[in-house]
């Protein structure tokens, strides 16, 4: 029996052994608990983004509000889809997605402001949150490397949407007559 075949059989044996643990196999390279913890922070980030975009959607007022509100609503839905993807991946890793509203803001990478805001201030706040998400998610992709390709691919997909969101928001600022970067 060659080594390759022996290895495959050993892998199969371990897979059968761990079958009750679902998608997690003995060859899983990453520190599973750490990945679950990091994903729970991503989940919190996405949930805070859903809430912030929803709040902005309902509070958007003024001459440009219709187009901007439509964008806020679309982003809210996409952030919710991200939250679902992340929660599902956490369960695949045999973890528990943390939906506890207690401490949600602390777990999140993104901020949530309670201040009364103009349309422009809302867009700027969202843009900052998107940029934070882009930088932390890029960091997570690098950290996962080849240790957990499934989770990495998921985060890469989410990251691509966050980049689109940031781009949408920068264009909205131009559209409402604000300077994209400035005050
Ligand atoms: Fe997102
Ligand atoms: Fe986003």
């Amino acid at each position: 029996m060659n080594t390759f075949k022996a290895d495959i059989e050993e892998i199969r044996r371990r897979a059968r052994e761990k079958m009750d643990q679902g998608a997690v196999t003995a060859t899983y390279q990453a520190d599973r608990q750490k990945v679950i913890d990091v994903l729970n922070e991503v989940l919190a980030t996405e949930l805070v983004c859903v809430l912030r975009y929803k709040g902005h959607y309902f509070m958007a007022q003024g001459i440009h509000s219709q187009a901007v509100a439509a964008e806020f609503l679309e982003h809210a839905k996409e952030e919710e889809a991200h939250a679902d993807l992340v929660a599902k991946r956490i369960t695949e890793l045999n973890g528990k997605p943390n939906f506890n509203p207690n401490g949600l803001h602390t777990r999140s990478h993104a901020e949530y402001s309670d201040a009364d805001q103009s349309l422009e201030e809302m867009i700027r706040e969202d843009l900052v949150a998107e940029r934070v998400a882009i930088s932390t998610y890029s960091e997570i992709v690098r950290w996962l490397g080849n240790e957990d390709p499934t989770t990495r691919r998921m985060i890469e997909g989410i990251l691509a949407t966050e980049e689109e969101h940031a781009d949408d928001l920068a264009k909205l600022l131009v559209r409402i007559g604000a300077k994209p970067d400035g005050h």
Side-chain angles (χ1 to χ4, degrees):
M1 190 188 291
N2 63 38
T3 340
F4 176 74
K5 203 172 166 212
D7 285 351
I8 293 293
E9 277 178 9
E10 172 63 12
I11 288 168
R12 280 198 192 122
R13 190 188 60 76
R14 280 189 312 216
R16 274 194 299 270
E17 214 172 78
K18 307 271 165 133
M19 210 69 97
D20 59 337
Q21 290 182 18
V24 180
T25 59
T27 54
Y28 184 79
Q29 296 285 307
D31 182 335
R32 196 168 51 86
Q33 192 51 53
K34 238 184 213 162
V35 173
I36 290 166
D37 292 344
V38 166
L39 288 182
N40 263 320
E41 287 185 2
V42 174
L43 176 61
T45 304
E46 296 296 339
L47 292 172
V48 166
C49 287
V50 173
L51 296 173
R52 206 190 50 255
Y53 275 124
K54 282 268 184 176
H56 288 176
Y57 166 68
F58 284 106
M59 291 303 286
Q61 276 168 9
I63 183 168
H64 299 287
S65 61
Q66 255 191 330
V68 177
E71 200 74 52
F72 288 159
L73 185 60
E74 194 189 308
H75 286 197
K77 287 177 180 164
E78 287 172 345
E79 309 302 11
E80 191 184 351
H82 291 166
D84 289 347
L85 280 174
V86 173
K88 182 167 177 286
R89 184 62 188 149
I90 291 171
T91 61
E92 285 170 2
L93 294 170
N94 298 332
K96 183 183 175 194
N98 190 350
F99 283 96
N100 193 337
N102 266 333
L104 181 65
H105 194 227
T106 320
R107 296 194 301 276
S108 162
H109 306 146
E111 294 290 317
Y112 184 100
S113 157
D114 256 336
D116 289 336
Q117 292 168 310
S118 68
L119 210 51
E120 183 180 336
E121 285 165 339
M122 290 179 191
I123 301 170
R124 286 195 192 285
E125 189 196 11
D126 293 331
L127 187 52
V128 169
E130 294 292 352
R131 283 177 178 161
V132 169
I134 289 166
S135 76
T136 54
Y137 295 176
S138 308
E139 196 61 46
I140 292 169
V141 166
R142 278 193 294 275
W143 174 65
L144 287 168
N146 294 319
E147 308 286 294
D148 179 348
T150 307
T151 303
R152 194 198 63 225
R153 276 195 296 273
M154 177 193 70
I155 298 287
E156 281 170 344
I158 293 175
L159 179 58
T161 319
E162 311 306 6
E163 281 168 353
E164 280 171 30
H165 288 170
D167 195 48
D168 292 341
L169 294 166
K171 283 182 181 140
L172 276 183
L173 281 177
V174 174
R175 188 160 168 187
I176 68 164
K179 291 195 190 100
D181 278 309
H183 297 272

